[in-house]
Amino acid sequence: MGAGLPDFRGLVEHCYTELGAAMPDKKSGDWNWLDRMLGSLEADFPDQMRLKVVERLNVLPRDLAIHAAILKLARLKGSANGTRLVTTNFDLFFEDAKAGMPAAQALHSGPVLPIPRNDLHASWRSIVYLHGRLDTGGGDNQHLVLTSADFGRAYLTDAWAARFVARLFAEFTVLFIGYSLNDPVLRYMTDAFAAEDALSRSGRKRPPAYLFVSYTGLTLPDAKSWHARRLEPIFYRAAYNHRALKDTLVEWATAREDYQTSVQQIVQRNGPRLPSALEPSDSENLVWSVCDRPSDSAHGARIFAALDPPAPIEWLAAFERRDTDARAAYRQEVTLAKKEGRQPAPAPTYHIETLFAPRLDNSGAVAVSEQAFVLIPWIVAHLEDRSLTDWVIAKLQAGRPPHPLFRHAIRRRLDAAPTMAEGFAIFWRTVSSEGDWMVSHTADTAFFDLRNAIAAERNAGWLDQELRSAMRPYLKLKPRFGISRATSDSARLSGIADAEVVFSDDDVFAQLDRIELTPDPDRYWADRLDALTQLLGQVLDLYAAVGEADALLDPTAFQRPSIVPHAQNRHHADWARLYDLVWRGWVRVDAASALDSRYWIERWRRIPYLGFRRLVLAAVRHSAHFTPAEKLEVLLNG
């Protein structure tokens, strides 16, 4: 690759030419078995073939840029000094290329090889000449793996290379550079890898190795033949003497040497643009820079969050998709590990997902990642973006409120200048609330068994408490139905989202219907007018908290067209059925006591919502305990 040495076929051609041996025809199948050709040549020239190999390989390099780049990529970072590199070449160009690099690297040459372990205390750290290292000092170089007999000893009989390769694949992710699928070296190594898999009692399939593969033409080759050997090809154009691969390796090595600057460039170049406007690889690189570098103290995320103006909120979906894909892959790993009777790999770190963890309590027990914490100010900078409000609503509907740290950041923005549109302010003040008026901690089936007790113990104190818990109202936000973002009004919450009051038990009225099976059900509701009035007031208080209820307008105008029970009342919202219970209880009181009837009506008059004003008007009209003058005064003054 630019250094001036031949590939394996070129080495074979050189030996045949120099020794004057007759070469097979260029189209002969013999060329698929280069190791056999060298073995045949060595049989004819036992003392000369390896000398010709040394002669061809012991030359001054033309260009060591690729070797230097590969060494940089193989260098271990942090406290783990050293290099982790395996070469099947015999030449010494990697040693020549390390001038100016850190301290001299450890070397190992087959058949004396290290154990390729990947652990903290005994990790392999050296340049490994898997098939032997060229001896330029006059040795016979019999240790070089050149012929089919050499490969047989290395991978079958003595099997020292096979053991190394099998452990290498088991412990590390391997990237091949400079090999073709028909290369005998690659064939022997992948066969050893496959054999080790076959012998494994668990039958565990290891991850694939990666291989740079050149191609010509306009279409990518079919990867099936590579996949059959457990290889994942990375295709590149073969034009200009593999220039694309060479440039990529050099740039990759440069970026890795100063990865912080590289990450900064990736983020600053791509972050300000929409993900959909970028090449998929550029978008993936940015997501990697921000989310997939766990040991760099969220360096990429900090640069991304500091972009001015803030990066588009559309990146949030890309970051979340990374979490989703990582979780799906980990679930597959857990399933496979269970099947194979082993411990699964450590779980990946999730970022955006942790910002909306299920709120089992209010302590924030689910910790956000460092990257997620750094990204919170960037998300908060987009609070007036409707795509963000829609995204948050979807999380709330899935029972995933914002993490306490995120809620705190939202409230800080609401208290700061500049102020935002009133509708957005109400939305985010509601979303970032710490009280229970925006969340239910109740399981879906928590109160299901109450229906069996209602008929038998309807007046029991414990049952009253349970029913009050089942009917605890809380506010839910839903996407605004049928709204155009271009024409919607952000001055009110209704221009951004629909607010709906629901009960902890969404099937509570089906249970309360069991009261009808008990004697004198209207008496039951009359005895609980206080609780019912408080409950209806709480419902309207919740709507008032988001600017949707006051003395002139509230949801009762739409949810309860007639206060008096009537066929037109469709009860699209469950809470509207409270009017049936309140009305039935009050009618029973009105029939028994004028004083008590007037007490309830006066109490309702003091509750400042349209829904109670309408209830007062309906009750006064129905009751015989009010004079015409009193009814007129209520009609005129509420």
Side-chain angles (χ1 to χ4, degrees), residues 245-548:
L245 177 59
K246 297 174 184 177
D247 289 347
T248 296
L249 291 174
V250 171
E251 289 298 322
W252 183 11
T254 301
R256 187 173 186 268
E257 283 290 284
D258 187 4
Y259 76 90
Q260 290 191 330
T261 298
S262 175
V263 165
Q264 180 177 345
Q265 291 172 348
I266 291 172
V267 172
Q268 291 179 339
R269 180 174 63 249
N270 299 320
R273 302 176 63 187
L274 290 170
S276 59
L278 295 169
E279 291 289 337
S281 60
D282 289 333
S283 177
E284 291 169 3
N285 284 340
L286 185 136
V287 173
W288 169 82
S289 298
V290 172
C291 298
D292 286 332
R293 296 191 59 86
S295 61
D296 69 351
S297 301
H299 173 67
R302 294 179 193 280
I303 296 172
F304 181 86
L307 291 177
D308 188 16
I313 195 61
E314 283 77 7
W315 282 109
L316 190 59
F319 299 152
E320 184 178 37
R321 189 161 49 250
R322 175 265 177 200
D323 282 359
T324 302
D325 293 345
R327 182 168 291 281
Y330 184 65
R331 284 173 178 165
Q332 291 180 351
E333 159 65 10
V334 170
T335 300
L336 184 60
K338 184 177 181 180
K339 180 180 178 181
E340 296 173 354
R342 60 178 174 84
Q343 288 294 319
T349 300
Y350 307 110
H351 305 302
I352 304 304
E353 180 177 296
T354 63
L355 292 177
F356 285 87
R359 180 156 60 176
L360 302 178
D361 54 48
N362 209 32
S363 65
V366 178
V368 300
S369 69
E370 189 171 11
Q371 283 86 344
F373 179 76
V374 169
L375 289 175
I376 287 176
W378 163 68
I379 300 175
V380 169
H382 291 280
L383 292 187
E384 291 188 89
D385 190 308
R386 282 194 171 82
S387 62
L388 179 59
T389 59
D390 290 347
W391 182 75
V392 169
I393 289 172
K395 300 299 180 191
L396 294 173
Q397 289 183 310
R400 301 175 68 87
H403 189 279
L405 292 174
F406 190 16
R407 300 200 300 271
H408 175 68
I410 293 171
R411 292 194 297 271
R412 288 187 61 185
R413 168 63 186 90
L414 290 169
D415 294 338
T419 58
M420 62 181 69
E422 184 63 20
F424 283 111
I426 293 174
F427 176 88
W428 290 112
R429 187 67 72 182
T430 303
V431 166
S432 64
S433 65
E434 295 292 341
D436 285 344
W437 58 286
M438 274 292 295
V439 66
S440 172
H441 299 298
T442 306
D444 292 340
T445 59
F447 299 104
F448 182 80
D449 294 335
L450 287 182
R451 64 183 60 191
N452 298 322
I454 286 176
E457 301 186 60
R458 76 172 197 176
N459 291 317
W462 71 266
L463 182 60
D464 273 350
Q465 295 301 321
E466 283 291 274
L467 288 177
R468 289 187 183 190
S469 297
M471 298 180 75
R472 183 183 71 80
Y474 68 97
L475 196 71
K476 290 183 69 174
L477 296 176
K478 301 190 301 182
R480 188 74 172 95
F481 178 73
I483 194 168
S484 168
R485 292 187 179 185
T487 59
S488 60
D489 180 14
S490 59
R492 295 178 58 87
L493 175 66
S494 58
I496 299 167
D498 277 333
E500 177 186 27
V501 174
V502 296
F503 296 126
S504 291
D505 180 8
D506 59 7
D507 199 35
V508 67
F509 277 98
Q511 302 199 56
L512 292 178
D513 286 342
R514 304 296 287 269
I515 297 293
E516 303 306 312
L517 304 178
T518 65
D520 197 3
D522 288 349
R523 176 77 266 166
Y524 181 86
W525 300 122
D527 291 342
R528 287 160 179 79
L529 264 181
D530 182 71
L532 292 173
T533 296
Q534 290 185 45
L535 185 57
L536 186 56
Q538 290 171 7
V539 168
L540 295 177
D541 283 342
L542 288 173
Y543 280 114
V546 293
E548 301 294 322

